[in-house]
Amino acid sequence: MLQAKTEYGDIITLATFTQTEITLLKKHTQFYCPACQEPVIAKAGSKMTPHFAHTSKSSCPVREGGEGPYHEKGKLLLYQWLKNQRLDVRLEVYLPTISQRPDLLIRLRSKTIAIEYQCARIPPADIIKRNEGYHREGIVPIWILGANQFNRRKRNEIRIDQFQLLFIHQFSADFPLTLYFFCPNTLRFILLQDLYFPAMQRAIGNVTIHKLNDMVFTDLFNTSTLTPRDLWQNWKKEKRLFRIRPSRQRFGRELLWDQWLYVNSTHREALPSIVYLPVSAQFRMKTQPWDWQSRLCLGIIHPMATGETFSLQRCMHLLRQHIRNLTAFPLIQTEANPVYQYLQLLEQLMVIKEIDPYHFTKQNPFIFYEHIESALKGDELLMDQWIKQNTGMIPE
Ligand SMILES: [Zn+2]
């Protein structure tokens, strides 16, 4: 931690003193943790941000789990950045009612915002618990990840694992799914917005990188999205690779899914093009998009006659093992329902029609393909049709 209390009750931020001053301070002053009141040790080496540490025997409620110099440096930089904008920001305030100490606490008009700069992996239950604490106190939490966890693969594509899923923000229904990263070494924010998952641990999204000093706090709430064209062109490639994936590159659940298709008298090369479409709430699913979407199509819609009706509830029931509860995503403030989003896409593609809230009729039968060539062509046509409908552009 960056701050401690002196025996006179003053709060000291060690990093605001010079090395000589720190040496003097250490000689003449005792420091205490503002949360647990135990003595803490001042640490100031040439390569680290001067900070305080608990003794190894401490049982402090807010003792950090060894987040290290990267975290301390970033926290201090973020604090100075906010302070320079003349915001009402405080560092490491201990909130006794919830026994938590956010890295930064901002008061902005009627809102209180806690900023957590998370660089280490801690148990997901701890993250969920801390967010619950903030919600109880009416505090808006914002989690910024250390850029050491940012794993870019291509311009618009990154790897995201289960742990990082916890930090996806969605403040309102029209706010794109957003992940924040900050690098204290290059002084840059990385915003990853409008995420779509073509596979479990891979997301397509809009990556923007900003110099710390070119940004103000409220810029964190700006939105930048993928263009429909970017999304669907990327998706086209994904789908093509999925259609032609050699069997030696299929493992685990994907193999089981291939077998399930076989039992249902079909295979991936034959599947209708409406299986494996992008829906933003895919992050809630425990299975790949092609897996649950095909189960919904083959299990419910395909066996029905045109004109027959079904409900969202029936689809949710069929897929209940596939969906994670929203409580697993503490920063999602919306109802993000992947199954409903998928049904809405099917409606846009004129496969089904919503007749009253959450009830649909089947409009057109599915087209199964006989050859991989016609499947690949059909996939392209479907996505081109969608791009045209939504942008008015003729796709390349
Ligand atoms: Zn303490």
Side-chain angles (χ1 to χ4, degrees):
M1 57 192 187
L2 295 169
Q3 294 189 326
K5 233 167 42 176
T6 66
E7 62 246 65
Y8 308 108
D10 303 320
I11 296 280
I12 296 264
T13 310
L14 205 57
T16 57
F17 295 90
T18 63
Q19 287 291 346
T20 333
E21 288 168 337
I22 292 172
T23 317
L24 267 173
L25 270 171
K26 278 170 81 169
K27 232 182 248 170
H28 301 289
T29 319
Q30 261 300 340
F31 301 105
Y32 301 90
C33 167
C36 68
Q37 318 301 333
E38 279 173 45
V40 288
I41 308 150
K43 296 205 162 174
S46 55
K47 285 199 183 116
M48 59 165 100
T49 308
H51 65 280
F52 298 98
H54 284 90
T55 59
S56 55
K57 282 175 286 198
S58 151
S59 56
C60 177
V62 296
R63 193 180 162 207
E64 45 280 271
E67 288 221 71
Y70 187 87
H71 173 251
E72 298 287 302
K73 188 175 173 189
K75 178 161 60 170
L76 185 64
L77 284 164
L78 289 173
Y79 172 69
Q80 288 161 340
W81 174 66
L82 293 163
K83 196 94 190 146
N84 289 340
Q85 297 168 48
R86 301 181 185 284
L87 288 169
D88 177 0
V89 56
R90 286 186 298 158
L91 189 62
E92 300 174 345
V93 185
Y94 181 61
L95 307 169
T97 46
I98 50 173
S99 305
Q100 285 174 226
R101 192 197 51 190
D103 289 329
L104 304 162
L105 193 71
I106 303 172
R107 281 184 209 284
L108 192 66
R109 294 186 284 274
S110 58
K111 280 204 165 90
T112 308
I113 299 160
I115 295 195
E116 293 275 12
Y117 181 50
Q118 191 65 36
C119 300
R121 292 184 167 249
I122 59 174
D126 291 2
I127 309 274
I128 290 171
K129 212 175 119 214
R130 280 205 238 164
N131 281 305
E132 280 168 1
Y134 292 138
H135 287 143
R136 263 205 312 281
E137 291 291 299
I139 296 171
V140 181
I142 295 177
W143 293 73
I144 298 171
L145 295 173
N148 51 3
Q149 297 172 68
F150 178 67
N151 192 345
R152 195 178 195 170
R153 286 172 51 110
K154 292 179 196 148
R155 185 173 67 93
N156 280 329
E157 190 187 315
I158 70 152
R159 286 200 85 84
I160 297 184
D161 59 27
Q162 286 295 314
F163 181 69
Q164 291 173 321
L165 285 184
L166 281 167
F167 302 97
I168 300 181
H169 297 70
Q170 189 171 42
F171 302 104
S172 61
D174 56 357
F175 195 86
L177 300 179
T178 299
L179 269 176
Y180 298 107
F181 295 89
F182 175 64
C183 176
N185 298 326
T186 60
L187 303 182
R188 275 171 175 69
F189 273 112
I190 305 168
L191 267 66
L192 191 61
Q193 293 197 301
D194 206 19
L195 300 172
Y196 284 85
F197 290 78
M200 299 305 285
Q201 315 235 313
R202 246 167 355 100
I204 298 169
N206 198 27
V207 180
T208 52
I209 301 175
H210 311 265
K211 285 187 196 156
L212 182 65
N213 291 328
D214 290 349
M215 250 179 95
V216 294
F217 174 64
T218 46
D219 289 341
L220 291 176
F221 307 101
N222 289 348
T223 59
S224 66
T225 53
L226 282 168
T227 64
R229 192 200 191 90
D230 256 343
L231 169 62
W232 286 70
Q233 295 292 21
N234 267 299
W235 206 268
K236 249 193 212 179
K237 284 179 211 148
E238 294 286 344
K239 194 150 173 179
R240 190 184 159 78
L241 291 172
F242 156 78
R243 285 273 197 198
I244 60 173
R245 181 142 56 236
S247 47
R248 64 173 189 281
Q249 288 176 18
R250 303 174 191 171
F251 307 98
R253 278 193 97 123
E254 194 168 347
L255 271 184
L256 289 176
W257 176 74
D258 277 329
Q259 285 161 15
W260 175 81
L261 287 180
Y262 182 76
V263 172
N264 282 273
S265 320
T266 186
H267 49 97
R268 73 165 70 202
E269 292 88 346
L271 282 175
S273 295
I274 50 164
V275 169
Y276 195 16
L277 296 179
V279 295
S280 68
Q282 168 66 32
F283 68 88
R284 282 185 64 187
M285 301 309 278
K286 295 181 211 164
T287 48
Q288 303 281 10
W290 58 80
D291 185 317
W292 65 269
Q293 292 180 9
S294 63
R295 286 175 204 269
L296 175 57
C297 283
L298 299 185
I300 293 182
I301 310 174
H302 180 54
M304 290 192 328
T306 344
E308 239 182 282
T309 302
F310 64 97
S311 64
L312 171 66
Q313 201 189 355
R314 192 174 152 207
C315 302
M316 294 298 285
H317 183 76
L318 176 82
L319 296 173
R320 65 194 179 283
Q321 306 287 352
H322 294 246
I323 309 180
R324 287 190 203 96
N325 204 302
L326 266 176
T327 50
F329 306 95
L331 303 167
I332 299 286
Q333 305 293 322
T334 65
E335 284 306 310
N337 182 334
V339 178
Y340 188 52
Q341 289 174 353
Y342 181 57
L343 292 172
Q344 285 178 312
L345 259 181
L346 294 186
E347 173 163 35
Q348 280 186 36
L349 296 164
M350 287 175 299
V351 176
I352 58 173
K353 191 166 173 52
E354 187 161 6
I355 44 168
D356 58 58
Y358 310 129
H359 285 86
F360 301 85
T361 56
K362 179 171 173 178
Q363 277 203 299
N364 284 299
F366 293 169
I367 301 161
F368 284 83
Y369 298 104
E370 307 235 338
H371 310 285
I372 181 72
E373 291 78 16
S374 45
L376 293 174
K377 202 156 182 198
D379 293 349
E380 288 254 339
L381 280 173
L382 180 96
M383 294 198 217
D384 288 351
Q385 177 201 335
W386 190 93
I387 295 175
K388 210 167 141 188
Q389 265 175 19
N390 284 273
T391 63
M393 288 188 295
I394 314 290
E396 292 161 357

